[in-house]
Amino acid sequence: MSDRTPAGQFFDAAITLLQRVRDEEAEPVRAAGTLLADTVAGGGRLFAFGAGHSSLAAQDVVYRAGGLALMNLLTVPGVVGVDVMPATLGSALERVDGLASVVLETSPLRAGDALVIISLSGRNALPVEMAMKARSLGVRVIGVTSVAYASETTSRHTSGTYLKDHCDVVLDSKIAIGDAELTLDTIPAPFAPASTAVTTALLQAVMATAAATLADRGIEPPLLRSGNVDGGHEWNGRVFEEYRDRIFYQY
């Protein structure tokens, strides 16, 4: 029997989206995982960036038990997260031309690295410029976005392009315009966003693919273990030491 409560409807919507990305994005997920594996095997470093709530998916793959130790968070002050005051400042900074170039020029990124850029709409100046600049530096770019926005919204970058137009691999989250899955006659606005659940799942699928691809090549993937299991800290200490020149969140 179907659960028609708002909670049940949201779970159904999220599950449907997850099934869609599993089935329709299988090849991009494989390509993205292979790109990360190639980068690790070639001595490159891995970075992830997302602005606002898109930063949640980026943070989910950094310093994460069961995740790749080499994934570093690329930060832009005032943009990563919603802790800036006022919170609306973060949204405003996403539209500032030139900010992404300054960030990349002062970051550790270099040719041969890989950068995951997460932006639901993919229309703001920051993610578009970041992808363009990163590729000009010889960095491979994986974009995670809702491709639907490109056909139903106007780009806020001077080029008129979107994040999806400047990536080596694009992962389409399938999220509808507005990022809200439910509507009710008694509520004047759509509600219940699912982009975080879907985007984090997409990226964890990519990480799983990268780890398995490295193992298939005879390379032990640099994975972290939970510090809450016996031996976890010792394991992680070994990984940090072995890859210390490619990990930027560990001093």
Side-chain angles (χ1 to χ4, degrees):
M1 185 180 216
S2 178
D3 180 357
R4 300 311 297 166
T5 66
Q9 291 180 61
F10 175 76
F11 280 122
D12 287 344
I15 289 168
T16 297
L17 283 165
L18 288 168
Q19 290 173 330
R20 282 192 65 196
V21 296
R22 178 195 63 192
D23 298 339
E24 298 173 21
E25 296 301 295
E27 178 52 31
V29 166
R30 185 204 64 77
T34 301
L35 188 157
L36 295 186
D38 290 344
T39 303
V40 172
R45 295 86 58 80
L46 311 179
F47 295 85
F49 169 78
H53 286 95
S54 290
S55 71
L56 296 174
Q59 293 177 59
D60 192 58
V61 294
V62 175
Y63 186 49
R64 183 65 190 262
L68 292 172
L70 304 192
M71 184 60 72
N72 300 278
L73 187 67
L74 180 66
T75 60
V76 179
V79 172
V80 178
V82 292
D83 57 340
V84 61
M85 294 291 288
T88 51
L89 175 60
S91 298
L93 289 173
E94 288 186 66
R95 305 178 188 183
V96 174
D97 292 329
L99 179 57
S101 293
V102 173
V103 168
L104 291 184
E105 288 166 2
T106 57
S107 78
L109 268 96
R110 66 189 184 194
D113 291 346
L115 172 61
V116 178
I117 301 176
I118 306 147
S119 173
L120 178 60
S121 71
R123 67 187 296 220
N124 286 313
L126 183 58
V128 175
E129 182 186 330
M130 183 172 287
M132 295 172 70
K133 179 67 175 181
R135 293 182 88 188
S136 74
L137 296 173
V139 174
R140 304 287 297 282
V141 175
I142 297 169
V144 187
T145 187
S146 172
V147 171
Y149 275 82
S151 61
E152 300 184 41
T153 67
T154 302
S155 170
R156 290 181 175 136
H157 188 261
T158 55
S159 67
T161 60
Y162 297 78
L163 171 61
K164 72 176 186 63
D165 299 317
H166 305 284
C167 300
D168 296 280
V169 179
V170 175
L171 299 173
D172 183 3
S173 64
K174 317 293 182 181
I175 300 296
I177 305 297
D179 189 21
E181 296 301 319
L182 303 184
T183 57
L184 280 176
D185 292 341
T186 54
I187 299 178
F191 59 103
S195 61
T196 302
V198 174
T199 303
T200 54
L202 261 174
L203 282 181
Q204 290 298 347
V206 170
M207 298 303 140
T209 301
T213 301
L214 287 168
D216 287 344
R217 298 177 185 178
I219 301 171
E220 179 183 327
L223 297 170
L224 295 175
R225 288 188 170 182
S226 171
N228 295 315
V229 300
D230 291 343
H233 287 300
E234 291 76 14
W235 173 280
N236 293 341
R238 177 183 65 81
V239 174
F240 288 147
E241 178 61 26
E242 183 175 351
Y243 292 96
R244 59 184 174 180
D245 60 330
R246 297 158 76 180
I247 297 173
F248 297 94
Y249 53 83
Q250 178 77 8
Y251 294 99

